[in-house]
Amino acid sequence: MPQLLSQIQNPSDLRHLSEQQLPQLAQELRDFIIDIVSVKEGHLGASLGVVELTIALHYVFNTPDDLLVWDVGHQAYGHKILTERREKFTTNRQLGGISGFPKRSESIYDTFGVGHSSTSISAALGMALASNLKGDFEKQHIAVIGDASIASGMAFEGLNHAGVTDANLLVILNDNAIGIDPSVGALKNYFTAVKEGKNPKENNMIKSLNFDYTGPINGHDIFALIQELKRLQKIKGPKFLHIITTKGKGLQQAEDNQVVYHAPGKFDALTGNILPKSEAHLAPKYQDVFGLTLVELARKNEKIIGITPAMPTGSSLKYMMDEFPTRALDVGIAEQHAVTLSAGMATQGMIVFCNIYSTFLQRAYDQIIHDVALQNLPVIFCLDRAGLVGEDGATHHGVFDIAYLRCIPNIIVYAPLNELALRNILYTAQLGLKHPIAIRYPRGRGVSADWKKSFQEIEIGKASCLKEGGKVAVLSTGTIGNNVIEALRQIDNSQEIAHYDFAFIKPLDIKLLHQIFSAFESVITIEDGVITGGFGSAIIEFALQNGYAVPVKTLGIPDKFIEHGSIVELQKMCEIDVESIATLLKEK
């Protein structure tokens, strides 16, 4: 039987196939994704689950003229392969290669850049309303959204608006009962009831929003999908198709263990078994230090609460959820709700650890200001994945938090140098603070296995000298300071260079800064956040306000979006890797 996938460069080629050939194409596409991701890594389960849907959408609709928007984009690998990127797919998520998410600058088939959830309905509705204004009432606009993402407030804002328009919009709910972790909440229970036929047809919440509702149908039956999509293609106005899929479809291990196989790393394409990783040392992941320390603290302090918006496994709050299920809450993809829920609990004397990836906290900025900082409520924000995160790229780098947090009154901002410092600031925070605090720490493993020591309280606002020196003072904040430590080991003139750890970005250690600017000829700041408005900016502001003429050089993330690549590659690009720092310091 001749190969079909190798003959398809774009959807026009796909549409020359007969419907009877499409199951074979689906198997080839599934095998292709498994073969590449098993070696190159990436997001696996989500793309395997929508293979039939992807083919059906491009088969029925006239893409790219008809506009297809994928929510989040974890599931868009099949879409990329069918839209002129099959031969480039081996570069997926690698430096200089194609993005792991839909990206407008990459392809005309990627109609909207995504990476964070629940944006698809609003974007597709905006496109549909624009088409109406331009007099194009035949163009189709399709948003594909998962059952975890549709529970987010923004998705409902889009549905609410769409229902009172005549927009030619099709919302496809890809219902597999899981996002990265299993879906939660009353809406998930509602969809489960619909799938199981327990919900009366007249009690359909989607119909009540004025959508033409169809479903649920089997999302792996490509013939049923095509038939239904062709029918919906002829219906004007807002439409809603509910399909049932299995995340990881076609790879048994991915179906059986959907959380792990969301992004499993390298695995055997034939057996599906994950390949063991060779770890250079036994240092724990920062998120595990957070999760295990929180459990340890919660055993002794009954007021401690853990909250995460849909990331219990990734953030390691799962440890606390397992031991204290009533005190550790997964609120679904609802960052705004997570922050204000934390604020509400803090008003009642609870000690709330609100654990959100740095990049996702951006989605709740008003709540940080209005609901937490303005009321000076001591919520403890634990910002996982701060700094450069690697292959997920620009949508996921946690590089803006220092800049957008330090301008907010009342808030404390802390970046630990290592795992022990993270453990101790968690301990200090639960003793009771007068202000909210944001604790930012990176993805991945730390520097030492020797982290589980007796707790020590940290003095708020205190910096420390890691190394004495004569001419130049290097001021670092957070774990990027370990690059400085290693760089200093590699240079001959290290005796001329002092190194200070400014874990507290706000409040700064003003007393120590006066000593530094009075004693040194020049100052270098290093951070893994944006330079504009970041830690280095804070140091320059101090120098200007206090009349110091000492030159300050700032190193960090430049004023541009950083694409995908390994963390080492991206640090080198930003000149904050060990080698670049060592080269700079040799010249001092």
Side-chain angles (χ1 to χ4, degrees), residues 23-39:
Q24 178 189 335
L25 177 63
Q27 186 60 54
E28 290 181 19
L29 181 56
R30 196 167 261 120
D31 291 343
F32 186 85
I33 293 171
I34 291 171
D35 286 345
I36 300 298
V37 176
S38 69
V39 176

Side-chain angles (χ1 to χ4, degrees), residues 75-287:
Q75 73 280 53
Y77 287 2
H79 160 80
K80 288 187 174 246
I81 292 162
L82 294 176
T83 55
E84 303 177 346
R85 286 165 283 185
R86 173 171 47 81
E87 293 179 358
K88 298 178 183 176
F89 194 66
T90 55
T91 70
N92 185 44
R93 302 173 81 245
Q94 296 182 22
L95 186 68
I98 63 173
S99 170
F101 300 94
K103 184 178 179 182
R104 278 173 52 83
S105 61
E106 187 178 292
S107 171
I108 58 173
Y109 293 92
D110 291 358
T111 61
F112 199 74
V114 294
H116 293 181
S117 84
S118 314
T119 62
S120 60
I121 297 173
S122 297
L125 176 59
M127 296 171 185
L129 293 176
S131 294
N132 284 357
L133 290 170
K134 291 189 284 188
D136 187 349
F137 300 102
E138 300 304 316
K139 186 185 290 286
Q140 305 286 325
H141 313 84
I142 307 104
V144 181
I145 188 167
D147 57 288
S149 294
I150 203 170
S152 178
M154 186 177 178
F156 269 84
E157 292 171 21
L159 290 171
N160 183 54
H161 182 193
V164 294
T165 72
D166 59 354
N168 197 11
L169 172 70
L170 170 60
V171 176
I172 298 177
L173 173 63
N174 174 35
D175 186 354
N176 58 20
I178 190 168
I180 296 176
D181 283 275
S183 301
V184 296
L187 190 64
K188 176 250 189 181
N189 294 338
Y190 167 79
F191 285 132
T192 299
V194 171
K195 286 185 283 188
E196 295 176 353
K198 297 177 181 177
N199 198 73
K201 291 196 180 229
E202 62 273 15
N203 182 28
N204 187 299
M205 65 181 297
I206 304 300
K207 283 185 178 180
S208 72
L209 292 171
N210 202 32
F211 277 75
D212 185 312
Y213 173 89
T214 304
I217 67 172
N218 181 356
H220 299 300
D221 185 340
I222 199 163
F223 303 117
L225 280 174
I226 289 172
Q227 180 181 357
E228 188 56 30
L229 290 174
K230 285 182 175 179
R231 186 186 75 82
L232 291 169
Q233 196 176 27
K234 300 171 185 174
I235 297 174
K236 301 299 181 183
K239 306 167 285 287
F240 193 101
L241 173 60
H242 184 177
I243 71 169
I244 310 303
T245 63
T246 300
K247 188 172 183 179
K249 180 72 173 177
L251 183 66
Q252 194 60 51
Q253 287 93 330
E255 293 185 36
D256 294 342
N257 198 339
Q258 295 174 329
V259 173
V260 171
Y261 280 81
H262 171 74
K266 290 182 172 63
F267 62 96
D268 187 308
L270 294 177
T271 67
N273 295 330
I274 294 175
L275 301 178
K277 294 181 180 179
S278 57
E279 300 294 352
H281 47 66
L282 298 176
K285 295 177 180 178
Y286 279 97
Q287 59 263 36

Side-chain angles (χ1 to χ4, degrees), residues 21 38 76 302 312 318 336 450 499 532 547 588:
Q21 291 176 293
S38 69
E302 294 182 353
K318 188 73 165 56
Q336 296 178 358
D450 186 23
H499 182 201
T532 306
K588 296 297 179 180

Side-chain angles (χ1 to χ4, degrees), residues 336-381:
Q336 296 178 358
H337 168 61
V339 171
T340 304
L341 176 70
S342 300
M345 298 188 86
T347 67
Q348 301 305 302
M350 296 293 116
I351 299 170
V352 187
F353 288 80
C354 184
N355 184 215
I356 303 183
Y357 287 12
S358 170
T359 185
F360 299 148
L361 188 65
Q362 296 163 188
R363 294 159 60 92
Y365 193 51
D366 180 63
Q367 286 70 27
I368 301 167
I369 297 172
H370 185 273
D371 298 341
V372 177
L374 181 61
Q375 303 184 81
N376 205 18
L377 294 169
V379 174
I380 304 162
F381 293 105

